[in-house]
């Protein structure tokens, strides 16, 4: 372990019993089930934010059950206690990690536990996308497949993908939700062709999912072969009743090199977009960021920030970070002060 891993391991190991009890509370697990499944688990190793937890039961089915039932809860509790987003991997105590099992499931906890429907600011610019996302997450039946969500960077696509994943896993821990970026998907697809055992690993990873979330599909736009393969996989996912949700920075109709059947497969499902924040939504986001930073802003200041910096979340977050840097704790900042800060920082 490197020094960072050692520090994280030390902190988690020190609070291991507390973590296990919090997992029990998080999932409302009975004392009998706690003693059977959670209490015997041991923290074995942390490597590059992968948390390896040892299980006494020498059974792959038991490992799969632990992953589906407790993976998200352990990741969420660790995040809440230490502020670290980790990937939890269950293994048989003392044995070398089963690489195929790890590859098949390790991406689930890349879902940020803070990105939920409750933390998503809803407005005119994103209401339809929010409602479709929530409906897909709440309904056990597959209503629309695939779901294509698009919009410019910083408007909340990834947040909604994570919110869908978090909702499903919190309400049905037996479901397997796989979240990957398009670049990761392309890499996995290429490896499956190049390597002898690649095809089995690819199928194990993707075809065992109940819900597949693929972010930033625009990275496949100029890769004709990958588009063909992805179109084939869309058919396979649908036949296997795997819910597919993808995001991109543009409408799929702007994937000009895509084959017609790709267009048809996407059109078979449902498509929604996220547009630039309207004034009201932007002000709500500013209020939320300010509250999290302990900063009080007048309505005039919120309006000024919305008008000048309210196009997307990263812009708003950036300007609020600058205001935080120059603010005095518990001091109410007024328009004149904000204006001076923004003008000064704008010249840096």
């Amino acid at each position: 372990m490197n020094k960072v891993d050692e520090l994280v391991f030390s902190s988690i190991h020190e609070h291991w019993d507390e973590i296990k009890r919090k997992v029990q509370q998080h999932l409302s697990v009975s004392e009998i089930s706690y003693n059977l499944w959670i209490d015997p688990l041991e923290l074995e190793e942390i490597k590059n934010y992968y948390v390896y937890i040892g299980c006494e039961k020498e059974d792959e089915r038991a490992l799969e059950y632990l992953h589906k039932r407790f993976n998200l809860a352990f990741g969420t509790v660790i995040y809440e206690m230490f502020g670290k987003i980790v990937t939890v991997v269950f293994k048989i105590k003392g044995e070398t990690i089963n690489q195929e099992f790890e590859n098949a499931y390790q991406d689930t906890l890349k879902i940020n536990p803070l990105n939920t429907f409750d933390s998503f600011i809803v407005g005119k610019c994103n209401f339809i996308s929010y409602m479709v996302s929530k409906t897909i997450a709440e309904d056990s039946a597959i209503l629309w497949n695939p779901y294509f969500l698009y919009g410019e960077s910083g408007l909340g696509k990834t947040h909604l993908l994570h919110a869908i994943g978090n909702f499903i896993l919190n309400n049905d821990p037996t479901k397997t939700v796989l979240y990957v970026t398009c670049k990761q998907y392309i890499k996995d697809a290429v490896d499956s062709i190049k390597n002898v055992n690649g095809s089995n690993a690819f199928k194990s990873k993707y075809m065992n999912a109940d819900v597949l979330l693929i972010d930033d599909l625009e990275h496949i736009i100029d890769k004709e072969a990958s588009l063909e393969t992805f179109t084939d996989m869309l058919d396979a996912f649908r036949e296997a009743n795997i819910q597919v949700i993808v995001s991109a920075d543009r409408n799929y109709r702007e994937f000009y090199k895509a084959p017609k059947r790709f267009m048809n497969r996407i059109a078979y499902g449902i498509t929604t977009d996220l547009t630039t924040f309207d004034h009201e939504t932007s002000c709500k986001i500013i209020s939320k960021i300010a509250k999290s930073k302990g900063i009080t802003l007048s309505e005039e200041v919120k309006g000024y920030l919305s008008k000048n910096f309210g196009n997307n979340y990263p812009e708003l977050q950036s300007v609020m970070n600058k205001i935080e840097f120059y603010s005095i704790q518990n001091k109410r900042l007024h328009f004149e002060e904000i204006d001076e800060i923004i003008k000064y920082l704008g010249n840096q």
Side-chain angles (χ1 to χ4, degrees), residues 50 85-87 106-112 162 179-180 184:
Y50 284 76
I85 298 178
V86 299
T87 298
Q106 66 185 14
D107 293 295
T108 302
L109 259 293
K110 288 180 180 177
I111 297 174
N112 188 334
H162 287 194
Y179 168 75
V180 294
Q184 182 63 50

Side-chain angles (χ1 to χ4, degrees), residues 150-331:
Y150 74 95
E152 294 179 2
S153 176
L155 298 181
K157 300 187 299 296
T158 299
H159 189 133
L160 283 177
L161 260 63
H162 287 194
I164 291 170
N166 279 318
F167 185 93
I168 292 171
L169 289 169
N170 279 319
N171 286 276
D172 187 356
T174 65
K175 289 283 183 72
T176 297
V177 177
L178 180 63
Y179 168 75
V180 294
T181 62
C182 181
K183 288 183 178 180
Q184 182 63 50
Y185 174 84
I186 293 172
K187 180 180 180 299
D188 290 340
V190 171
D191 288 346
S192 74
I193 297 171
K194 288 183 177 179
N195 302 328
V196 176
N197 297 319
S199 180
N200 290 335
F202 183 85
K203 289 178 181 178
S204 177
K205 180 173 183 176
Y206 288 92
M207 297 307 294
N208 284 331
D210 295 298
V211 179
L212 175 60
L213 309 169
I214 302 180
D215 213 351
D216 300 324
L217 195 67
E218 67 271 8
H219 291 294
I220 208 172
I221 199 168
D222 59 348
K223 298 175 174 62
E224 294 184 51
S226 295
L227 273 168
E228 289 280 359
T229 303
F230 182 73
T231 305
D232 292 337
M233 289 307 301
L234 280 178
D235 289 336
F237 294 144
R238 281 188 56 211
E239 289 175 7
N241 288 320
I242 298 171
Q243 173 72 66
V244 180
I245 300 145
V246 296
S247 78
D249 65 359
R250 69 202 75 181
N251 193 314
Y252 69 90
R253 297 185 184 282
E254 296 179 44
F255 285 36
Y256 299 118
K257 292 185 179 181
K260 186 176 180 180
R261 63 194 192 96
F262 168 83
M263 301 290 190
N264 291 338
R265 298 304 185 278
I266 299 295
Y268 188 87
I270 191 169
T271 299
T272 67
D273 68 329
L274 297 166
T275 59
T276 303
F277 297 148
D278 55 273
H279 177 71
E280 183 180 353
T281 304
S282 182
C283 285
K284 287 180 183 177
I285 293 171
I286 292 166
S287 297
K288 179 183 175 181
I289 298 174
K291 183 178 180 180
S292 71
K293 295 179 177 296
I295 301 171
T296 303
L297 302 175
S298 67
E299 293 303 315
E300 184 182 21
V301 168
K302 292 176 188 176
Y304 174 82
L305 294 176
S306 173
K307 181 180 178 181
N308 291 278
F309 304 96
N311 289 330
N312 59 56
Y313 190 86
E315 274 193 17
L316 289 173
Q317 184 68 60
S318 176
V319 74
M320 290 301 294
N321 287 342
K322 293 170 183 176
I323 291 171
E324 179 186 29
F325 179 74
Y326 279 86
S327 68
I328 300 172
Q329 193 172 5
N330 298 324
K331 179 180 178 182

